[in-house]
Amino acid sequence: MEETSREAVATAVQRVAGMLQRSDQLDKVEQYRRREARKKASVEARLKAAIQSQLDGVRTGLIQLHSALTDVKDIQSSLADVSKDWRQSINTIENLKDVKDAVVQHSQLASAVENLKNIFSVPEIVAETQQLIEQAELLQAHRKLMELECSRDDLMYEQYRMDSKNTSDMNLISIYFEDVQGLSDELAKQLWMVLQRSMVTVRRDPTMLVSVVRIIEREEKIDRRMVDRKKQTGFIPPGRPKQWKDKMFEVLEGTVSTRIEGTQAVTREADKMWLVRLLEITRKYVLDDLIVVKNLMVQSINLYIHIQMMGHPELHSECDINQLEPLLPQDVVDDLLSKYVQTFTSNITGWLRKALETDKKDWQKETEPEADQDGYYQTTLPAIVFQMFEQNLQVAAQIDGEFKEQVLKLCLKQMNTFLIRYREEAVTYKEDHLRDRQLPQCYVQYMIAIINNCQTFKESINSLKRKYSQSSEPTDSDAAIERTLNEVAKEGCQFLLDEVFLDLEHHLNELLTRKWLTGSHAVDTICVTVEDYFNDFNKIKKPFNQEMTSEALRRVVVEYIKAVMQKRITFKNADERREGAERMIKEADQFKFLFRKLAAGEDTDRLCGAIAAIAEVFKLTDPSLLFLEVTTLVSKYPDIREEHIQALLAVRGDASREMRQMIIGTLSENKVSYSGVTQPIFKDITVPTITMTTMTTMTSMATAKLLK
């Protein structure tokens, strides 16, 4: 401490000596003294403040430590209470088994709530399915049954996935859906009954037999899917696999056996010629049945004529059939063929009509149509139609080549008539939609399927001709079918574009208006809407998708130029003309970017360039060069007419009457001829004319203004 004092004194002496080195500085001793006194007071004040701050911090720390000590004691006491309560509640926890069971039940109920819709509708669907089975509406009954089985199987699978060992919940679901298995068994009985009486059924109602086969095919697909899922997850629904296909073969085999065994009317004891009679009756019945099978049960032919019967090598004829006389005289054969053609014509007309009616019902569905392996929308109509043709052509091919050609021509003729009706129904479909654009919900998707069907029809017709026709020369029916299919497809594309532009109508009306000039998102909305629609239009097959994209671009550009020609705005000054022109150029680039992305073709730049070329006419600042700019526009787009030029000059707003007359007159004298090589743009764009009444009104208003 003393050493510190000495150092302070030495420092002070040194500072005083420094301040009083000259005699004149003695006069300032008092001033120096006051200054040093102020510094000392300042230092002492800061020192006192620092010491006080430290003391306050220490005081605060002590208070917090005391508070923490109190909190620790409280926590220690609380932990002691918790430990005491926990020891006392061990026995209570062991008695909470009922609560645990309630929690499990709550979990089950929560899972059930998610499926309330399906669960509550089960009794109703069961009753409907039972009624459909009793009414022999097998396809509809099977559809309902699949819904029930799907609901049951999904619930069981979810339960299995959450807790595979919980058999009580599985039993609960099984009990609730126990009527489903009964419906399945009841439907199976109906199917086997139809198959047992197949020879009678196919004569009276062949569609019933087809329905049975389709139901069995569906069940086979479900069986395969369930077996595959079992390999992956270990779960398979009760009753699977049903193996109805194997059962069908057993029933058919039993039906054939019963048919043959039932022909034995007498025994050896009653008649020594019983075997001869039996063989003759069997021959007659088998022949009759095989004819029925061949003509009416083509899908099941292999079930009857297999290697153990007529296809067996030991049963082949050992003689040369070409040396035998015809079984029937030629006039009888001709008469039979004539009757066959008449019957076939009548049948094919009815089949095509029913197929189209079925397809029309599909158009009203709330679900999208099926897609082929390439993702293109389609309906089953082409497959059904050409399956009919294929089956009958196979029969005709077994008779002779000339008759086969005759049946093929008849099929193509009927096809042409059918396609005309198909076109009419597509138009009606569009008109019904326009009355209420909310219905049908999948109008766009099914119209795409109609367009794609046209390409499928073309391919199927060419396939039939290659397979069954020896002639490569086109016929009148070929040209008519090609023309009708192209019309249906092009009209379908036009209907879809009409749908797009109905949504764009409001935004197109904003173009080239004051609102557009001051700032509008109309073109942005147009581009987004078109791109959204074309996400669906990607499901259209070539070449129609390319043609549709090109037509969409042309219509967008035409509608834009129409907005210009309607003179919705007249630019007031050079700034407005520059701003409007720059906006037009920007929007032309937007269209160009969009339709390049959609692959509209090589004409994209030329069409979008028309908007930019018009913008250059508006953008020009020197009116004396206006004639040159207009001439450039006309040279690029020679289908532009005088009224178009007049409309452009009117929108520009600064062209005098003499200049307009000079430009129009000069262009008329040096008119560029339109070669028609490129697609026209201005040809279909009309310029609204001012009527006499409007002109009179405008003149009266102008006169009144001048007089005023």
Side-chain angles (χ1 to χ4, degrees):
M1 189 72 177
E2 293 178 357
E3 183 179 357
T4 303
S5 299
R6 285 197 299 270
E7 289 179 357
V9 171
T11 302
V13 170
Q14 188 177 1
R15 286 191 64 189
V16 170
M19 288 186 294
L20 301 176
Q21 290 179 357
R22 297 188 309 273
S23 59
D24 58 338
Q25 291 178 331
L26 293 174
D27 297 335
K28 300 180 180 179
V29 170
E30 186 63 24
Q31 181 180 351
Y32 292 154
R33 189 184 64 78
R34 287 195 300 272
R35 185 176 66 183
E36 291 302 321
R38 287 195 299 270
K39 287 183 179 180
K40 179 182 178 183
S42 175
V43 170
E44 289 176 350
R46 289 200 301 270
L47 182 61
K48 288 180 180 179
I51 293 174
Q52 184 64 39
S53 176
Q54 292 292 329
L55 291 175
D56 291 342
V58 171
R59 186 182 297 108
T60 302
L62 290 174
I63 293 172
Q64 290 178 347
L65 286 174
H66 185 269
S67 176
L69 179 62
T70 304
D71 292 341
V72 168
K73 291 180 179 179
D74 292 341
I75 292 171
Q76 187 176 10
S77 175
S78 299
L79 286 175
D81 294 340
V82 169
S83 177
K84 180 180 178 181
D85 293 341
W86 176 75
R87 289 190 183 92
Q88 294 176 353
S89 63
I90 291 177
N91 296 332
T92 306
I93 293 174
E94 294 177 354
N95 296 329
L96 291 178
K97 185 176 182 301
D98 294 339
V99 176
K100 182 179 179 181
D101 294 340
V103 171
V104 173
Q105 186 177 9
H106 179 271
S107 176
Q108 295 171 348
L109 292 175
S111 176
V113 166
E114 296 179 359
N115 298 278
L116 279 179
K117 182 179 179 181
N118 294 333
I119 293 175
F120 287 155
S121 61
V122 166
E124 180 183 352
I125 299 177
V126 167
E128 292 176 0
T129 307
Q130 184 66 44
Q131 185 177 3
L132 290 170
I133 294 175
E134 294 172 358
Q135 295 173 353
E137 299 288 344
L138 301 184
L139 276 178
Q140 297 183 30
H142 185 248
R143 189 176 296 110
K144 296 286 186 181
L145 177 61
M146 287 194 298
E147 292 178 7
L148 290 169
E149 290 180 340
C150 183
S151 299
R152 179 198 63 188
D153 298 346
D154 288 346
L155 284 172
M156 284 187 165
Y157 177 68
E158 289 299 323
Q159 179 59 41
Y160 177 85
R161 196 160 56 86
M162 290 189 296
D163 188 0
S164 59
K165 297 180 181 180
N166 192 341
T167 57
S168 61
D169 289 347
M170 285 291 191
N171 292 335
L172 181 64
I173 298 174
S174 299
I175 292 172
Y176 188 78
F177 284 91
E178 61 183 355
D179 292 335
V180 175
Q181 187 60 43
L183 289 175
S184 179
D185 296 339
E186 184 66 26
L187 179 61
K189 290 179 182 178
Q190 294 294 325
L191 300 182
W192 312 145
M193 187 180 301
V194 172
L195 290 173
Q196 288 169 354
R197 304 179 60 198
S198 56
M199 287 299 177
V200 178
T201 304
V202 78
R203 291 183 175 95
R204 186 177 60 191
D205 187 7
T207 58
M208 179 67 74
L209 194 59
V210 174
S211 299
V212 171
V213 174
R214 288 181 62 185
I215 291 172
I216 294 174
E217 288 176 350
R218 288 177 184 172
E219 288 295 335
E220 282 295 303
K221 291 180 180 178
I222 298 174
D223 278 351
R224 288 194 295 269
R225 190 167 66 248
M226 293 297 106
V227 170
D228 291 339
R229 187 166 73 174
K230 181 183 179 183
K231 294 177 182 178
Q232 297 176 357
T233 64
F235 171 77
I236 190 167
R240 292 287 178 187
K242 294 184 179 180
Q243 298 179 332
W244 279 6
K245 185 176 182 180
D246 295 340
K247 179 64 176 178
M248 177 185 72
F249 287 125
E250 293 177 7
V251 172
L252 289 175
E253 185 176 355
T255 302
V256 174
S257 300
T258 303
R259 178 71 166 165
I260 295 175
E261 293 171 0
T263 58
Q264 185 175 353
V266 295
T267 61
R268 182 191 300 271
E269 292 75 16
D271 189 351
K272 294 181 179 181
M273 300 296 293
W274 71 275
L275 183 57
V276 176
R277 294 178 182 274
L278 175 61
L279 291 176
E280 178 60 21
I281 294 173
T282 302
R283 182 196 66 80
K284 183 178 183 302
Y285 282 1
V286 169
L287 180 61
D288 291 344
D289 291 347
L290 289 178
I291 291 173
V292 172
V293 171
K294 178 182 177 183
N295 293 331
L296 300 176
M297 297 173 64
V298 179
Q299 292 183 348
S300 304
I301 185 72
N302 291 328
L303 302 178
Y304 291 84
I305 304 180
H306 38 65
I307 193 168
Q308 287 81 12
M309 296 183 64
M310 303 303 294
H312 199 284
E314 295 182 4
L315 297 179
H316 286 174
S317 175
E318 297 181 358
C319 64
D320 186 3
I321 60 174
N322 294 322
Q323 297 179 0
L324 300 177
E325 296 181 357
L327 292 176
L328 296 174
Q330 189 60 41
D331 57 341
V332 176
V333 173
D334 293 340
D335 183 59
L336 290 174
L337 293 179
S338 176
K339 291 180 180 179
Y340 175 85
V341 170
Q342 293 176 5
T343 304
F344 169 69
T345 303
S346 175
N347 289 343
I348 202 71
T349 302
W351 291 338
L352 291 173
R353 184 175 61 252
K354 290 180 180 179
L356 182 55
E357 291 298 324
T358 302
D359 206 53
K360 283 169 54 183
K361 292 179 181 178
D362 290 343
W363 299 351
Q364 307 298 327
K365 288 182 177 179
E366 296 180 358
T367 56
E368 294 183 354
E370 296 179 356
D372 62 10
Q373 65 274 14
D374 296 321
Y376 297 118
Y377 286 137
Q378 63 178 4
T379 67
T380 57
L381 182 62
I384 294 173
V385 169
F386 284 95
Q387 185 179 13
M388 298 176 191
F389 289 166
E390 180 82 22
Q391 292 171 358
N392 285 277
L393 285 168
Q394 288 175 356
V395 174
Q398 295 178 6
I399 299 175
D400 60 46
E402 183 179 352
F403 184 68
K404 178 185 66 176
E405 292 280 352
Q406 181 182 354
V407 172
L408 177 60
K409 290 180 180 178
L410 181 59
C411 288
L412 295 178
K413 182 179 178 181
Q414 291 293 323
M415 185 67 189
N416 187 37
T417 304
F418 166 76
L419 289 176
I420 294 174
R421 177 65 176 165
Y422 189 55
R423 178 187 179 188
E424 294 172 352
E425 293 296 343
V427 174
T428 303
Y429 184 52
K430 183 264 297 188
E431 292 174 348
D432 291 343
H433 171 69
L434 291 181
R435 294 189 185 96
D436 183 358
R437 292 187 62 212
Q438 302 300 320
L439 298 174
Q441 293 185 7
C442 295
Y443 166 78
V444 171
Q445 289 78 7
Y446 277 97
M447 187 59 73
I448 292 174
I450 291 172
I451 296 169
N452 289 339
N453 285 349
C454 294
Q455 186 64 21
T456 307
F457 278 131
K458 288 184 180 181
E459 295 169 357
S460 300
I461 289 171
N462 292 333
S463 175
L464 281 183
K465 291 175 64 179
R466 287 194 301 269
K467 188 173 181 180
Y468 294 102
S469 178
Q470 302 297 326
S471 174
S472 59
E473 295 295 326
T475 63
D476 295 339
S477 295
D478 294 339
I481 290 173
E482 181 79 12
R483 183 172 58 253
T484 305
L485 286 173
N486 286 336
E487 289 173 352
V488 173
K490 289 182 179 179
E491 288 177 354
C493 292
Q494 195 69 30
F495 297 159
L496 291 176
L497 287 180
D498 290 343
E499 187 75 4
V500 177
F501 280 86
L502 281 174
D503 288 345
L504 298 181
E505 184 175 3
H506 172 71
H507 307 292
L508 291 170
N509 289 335
E510 283 189 13
L511 298 177
L512 273 292
T513 61
R514 282 288 161 188
K515 180 180 179 181
W516 168 84
L517 185 62
T518 56
S520 168
H521 299 288
V523 170
D524 296 334
T525 306
I526 290 170
C527 291
V528 170
T529 304
V530 170
E531 186 172 9
D532 180 60
Y533 267 103
F534 270 83
N535 287 333
D536 281 336
F537 297 165
N538 286 332
K539 304 294 180 65
I540 299 177
K541 290 183 177 180
K542 296 180 179 179
F544 305 121
N545 59 353
Q546 179 67 41
E547 295 174 0
M548 186 171 182
T549 309
S550 300
E551 178 61 19
L553 168 60
R554 194 192 72 84
R555 285 187 64 170
V556 167
V557 172
V558 166
E559 291 296 330
Y560 195 101
I561 297 177
K562 277 183 180 178
V564 178
M565 298 305 170
Q566 289 172 359
K567 295 174 284 190
R568 300 172 182 173
I569 187 174
T570 299
F571 296 123
K572 297 178 179 179
N573 50 51
D575 289 339
E576 284 193 356
R577 286 190 290 274
R578 176 184 53 76
E579 185 179 349
E582 290 175 353
R583 177 175 283 273
M584 290 176 67
I585 293 171
K586 175 187 173 184
E587 291 172 347
D589 289 338
Q590 285 182 258
F591 292 141
K592 189 184 300 183
F593 176 79
L594 170 64
F595 283 98
R596 279 179 178 172
K597 182 178 178 181
L598 298 178
E602 56 188 19
D603 215 23
T604 303
D605 291 348
R606 191 184 72 86
L607 289 169
C608 295
I611 299 175
I614 292 174
E616 292 298 333
V617 174
F618 295 153
K619 191 176 181 180
L620 188 67
T621 56
D622 188 356
S624 62
L625 299 178
L626 194 56
F627 172 74
L628 294 177
E629 197 65 49
V630 173
T631 304
T632 303
L633 174 65
V634 174
S635 64
K636 290 182 179 179
Y637 304 95
D639 62 317
I640 194 169
R641 300 190 298 275
E642 292 181 5
E643 56 266 30
H644 297 141
I645 302 299
Q646 291 175 346
L648 294 180
L649 296 177
V651 173
R652 181 178 167 86
D654 66 339
S656 63
R657 181 177 181 183
E658 291 76 11
M659 181 177 290
R660 291 200 297 269
Q661 291 176 348
M662 182 273 292
I663 293 174
I664 297 300
T666 307
L667 290 176
S668 299
E669 295 174 1
N670 303 279
K671 190 170 184 180
V672 180
S673 60
Y674 175 61
S675 61
V677 176
T678 58
Q679 190 177 25
I681 300 177
F682 294 88
K683 179 182 177 182
D684 299 326
I685 299 177
T686 59
V687 178
T689 57
I690 301 177
T691 62
M692 185 59 73
T693 303
T694 306
M695 183 67 77
T696 303
T697 303
M698 292 175 62
T699 304
S700 300
M701 292 174 62
T703 303
K705 185 175 181 180
L706 289 172
L707 290 174
K708 184 177 179 181

